[in-house]
């Protein structure tokens, strides 16, 4: 339960519940202004100066997320990538960082490309293997462990509480990309993480019509101050309309994610028995290697993302995606419409993703329609 006694579902539905004092409007206005009036004595007694630093339209989404994550402050960014970059760029050249081997591919590419050239010592490690993380830590030199849980697109679950302890014992911070879990299913800060990041483009907004990212910190420390200063100076902020859409999306986060998790579990179970599917990757399945940890760490569901491996290899997988009608062939995830994607061809040659894998983002359609559409495509393809 939140500090003021309201449950997270209520906080999200009200998106902090601030009623506009002047008009009584229960939905906050959009403030397109890029600049704010200065006092005669040169101060800014109303707290705003310029929208690259801050805009009142950010407050609703940022404060809602701070409450849902149980943090001290949230910053909204122009994208999930901008939010993630801001964490790494608050480190110093020469710092050692541990990052997952399986993670959102564009961030992995940025880390091993730009961030490495910039001077970070980036080391990939299997973050589900705590022994491997322990062995890779360089106390005093490792400044950050980055973890994504469940990790896109194989959905492995990493132990956030233990990783936080390992990071802190080595003098490092733990940052968690919690895009897939959302605060509905996992609260990384309560497990000991220092920073939680979201691609708000996905479940937080939930309607495939906003690119945005967020960072929420456990404490407003010196590291957070650097992140904030970099954001203001670098200008990686969302527009007011995007921030407004994000607060609107957050209001329905809980029912969306719970519905999507229930449908994903149902699909994962049914697809596990499908003769044209060789493997289903989903943390909610007892046979999945991270299932026990997922049961402890994820509360109330296992998320709306799963992947299937198709008998017949890459050609068969691409053919299945070509035949679905309810499932739309598109990248991204977390929207109300279900999406299917051949992931290896998206990620390119360095991808750890098997070529026969299809990634499924479960939307809000009737699960019977979703299964029937997949079954038709899989069966037509495999002749089963
Ligand atoms: N993290 C995860 C897990 C993602 O899936 C994505 C995008 O797909 C990102 C980060 C990057 O977010 P954005 O596309 O908003 O920059």
């Amino acid at each position: 339960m939140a500090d003021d006694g309201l449950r997270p579902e209520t906080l999200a539905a009200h998106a902090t519940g601030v009623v506009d004092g002047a008009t009584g409007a229960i939905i906050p206005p959009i403030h397109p202004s890029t600049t704010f009036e200065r006092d005669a004595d040169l101060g800014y007694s109303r707290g705003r100066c310029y929208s690259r630093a801050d805009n009142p339209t950010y407050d609703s989404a940022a404060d809602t997320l701070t409450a849902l994550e149980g943090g001290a402050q949230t910053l909204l960014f122009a994208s999930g990538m901008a939010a993630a970059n801001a964490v790494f760029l608050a480190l110093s050249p020469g710092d050692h960082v541990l990052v997952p081997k399986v993670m959102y591919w564009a961030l992995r590419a940025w880390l091993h490309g730009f961030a490495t050239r910039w001077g970070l010592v980036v080391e990939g490690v299997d973050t589900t293997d705590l022994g491997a993380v322990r062995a890779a830590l360089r106390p005093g030199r490792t400044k950050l462990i980055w973890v994504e849980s469940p990790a896109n697109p194989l959905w492995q679950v990493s132990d956030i509480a233990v990783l936080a302890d390992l990071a802190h014992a080595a003098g490092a911070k733990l940052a968690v990309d919690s895009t897939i879990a959302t605060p509905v299913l996992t609260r990384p800060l309560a497990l000991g993480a220092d920073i939680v990041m979201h691609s708000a483009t996905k479940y937080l907004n939930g309607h495939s019509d906003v690119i945005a990212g967020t960072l929420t910190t456990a404490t407003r420390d010196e590291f957070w101050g650097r992140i904030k200063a970099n954001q203001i100076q670098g200008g990686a902020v969302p527009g007011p309309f995007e921030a407004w859409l994000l607060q609107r999306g957050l209001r329905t986060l809980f029912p969306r994610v719970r519905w999507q998790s229930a449908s994903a579990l149902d699909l994962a179970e049914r697809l596990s028995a499908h003769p044209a599917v060789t493997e289903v990757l989903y943390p909610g399945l007892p046979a999945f290697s991270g299932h026990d940890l997922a049961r402890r760490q994820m509360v109330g569901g296992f998320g709306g993302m799963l992947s299937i491996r198709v008998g017949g290899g890459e050609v068969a997988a691409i053919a299945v995606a070509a035949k679905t009608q309810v499932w739309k062939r598109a990248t991204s995830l977390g929207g109300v419409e279900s999406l299917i994607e051949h992931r290896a061809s998206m990620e390119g040659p360095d991808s750890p993703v098997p070529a026969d894998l299809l990634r499924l983002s479960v939307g809000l359609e009737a699960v019977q329609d979703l299964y029937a559409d997949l079954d038709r495509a899989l069966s037509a393809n495999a002749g089963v």
Side-chain angles (χ1 to χ4, degrees):
M1 207 177 304
D3 289 349
D4 60 2
L6 295 176
R7 285 168 177 76
E9 293 86 340
T10 310
L11 293 171
H14 290 186
T16 65
V18 178
V19 173
D20 183 52
T23 64
I26 60 166
I27 300 300
I30 303 176
H31 291 277
S33 190
T34 54
T35 191
F36 298 88
E37 192 181 35
R38 199 169 184 185
D39 303 330
D41 66 0
L42 305 185
Y44 282 101
S45 58
R46 284 167 284 187
R48 321 274 175 178
C49 166
Y50 186 56
S51 280
R52 200 181 66 237
D54 191 14
N55 179 292
T57 323
Y58 298 165
D59 293 355
S60 175
D63 294 348
T64 303
L65 211 49
T66 301
L68 295 182
E69 292 290 7
Q73 192 175 34
T74 296
L75 293 175
L76 306 187
F77 286 80
S79 69
M81 281 296 283
N85 290 5
V87 177
F88 290 99
L89 293 178
L91 297 166
S92 301
D95 286 349
H96 176 242
V97 296
L98 289 178
V99 303
K101 284 192 171 153
V102 175
M103 66 187 301
Y104 174 57
W105 72 287
L107 183 56
R108 192 182 65 240
W110 181 85
L111 284 163
H112 293 287
F114 178 90
T116 301
R117 283 197 304 281
W118 182 73
L120 285 184
V121 182
V122 178
E123 185 173 344
V125 64
D126 177 358
T127 53
T128 68
D129 180 347
L130 297 171
V133 174
R134 238 178 242 114
L137 276 166
R138 304 182 200 169
R141 273 206 70 195
T142 308
K143 293 293 160 58
L144 181 77
I145 300 178
W146 181 271
V147 66
E148 187 179 314
S149 185
N152 188 355
L154 306 182
W155 318 120
Q156 296 118 317
V157 180
S158 293
D159 193 327
I160 294 169
V162 175
L163 289 170
D165 286 346
L166 289 177
H168 296 156
K173 290 190 176 294
L174 179 72
V176 180
D177 180 342
S178 197
T179 298
I180 306 304
T182 81
V184 177
L185 306 175
T186 306
R187 293 173 79 228
L189 302 183
L191 296 170
D194 299 285
I195 290 178
V196 57
M197 172 257 160
H198 292 278
S199 167
T201 312
K202 316 302 181 194
Y203 292 100
L204 298 190
N205 177 60
H207 292 75
S208 306
D209 53 11
V210 166
I211 298 278
T214 66
L215 294 178
T216 304
T217 185
T219 51
R220 295 197 202 198
D221 56 8
E222 192 256 334
F223 187 63
W224 183 250
R226 260 183 284 154
I227 290 176
K228 219 171 150 184
N230 286 353
Q231 185 195 33
I232 293 170
Q233 289 158 0
V237 289
F241 186 51
E242 281 71 21
W244 187 88
L245 281 174
L246 180 54
Q247 66 78 31
R248 188 181 66 167
L250 274 170
R251 290 167 186 264
T252 56
L253 179 69
F254 278 80
R256 282 190 285 104
V257 169
R258 286 183 179 150
W259 177 284
Q260 287 161 311
S261 295
S263 294
L265 179 60
D266 185 342
L267 289 169
E269 284 168 350
R270 290 208 236 178
L271 290 165
S272 296
H274 200 287
V277 173
T278 58
E279 190 181 4
V280 178
L281 305 176
Y282 186 62
L285 292 175
F288 189 76
S289 68
H291 178 67
D292 290 342
L293 173 59
R295 283 178 71 92
R296 291 201 303 278
Q297 190 166 275
M298 302 180 79
V299 179
F302 301 96
M305 296 301 300
L306 68 153
S307 295
I308 56 173
R309 299 185 66 181
V310 178
E314 178 171 20
V315 174
I318 293 170
V320 168
K323 289 190 184 74
T324 58
Q325 289 171 356
V326 180
W327 297 80
K328 303 299 177 211
R329 272 181 311 284
T331 196
S332 200
L333 57 98
V336 300
E337 60 294 305
S338 292
L339 303 179
I340 187 165
E341 187 181 32
H342 181 252
R343 199 61 202 161
S345 55
M346 183 73 185
E347 298 197 6
D350 295 335
S351 168
V353 179
D356 58 4
L357 181 141
L358 292 173
R359 187 180 82 174
L360 305 176
S361 170
V362 180
L364 296 182
E365 305 91 336
V367 70
Q368 296 88 335
D369 293 338
L370 293 175
Y371 183 75
D373 192 42
L374 275 177
D375 178 40
R376 220 170 9 243
L378 284 161
S379 302
N381 191 51
V384 291

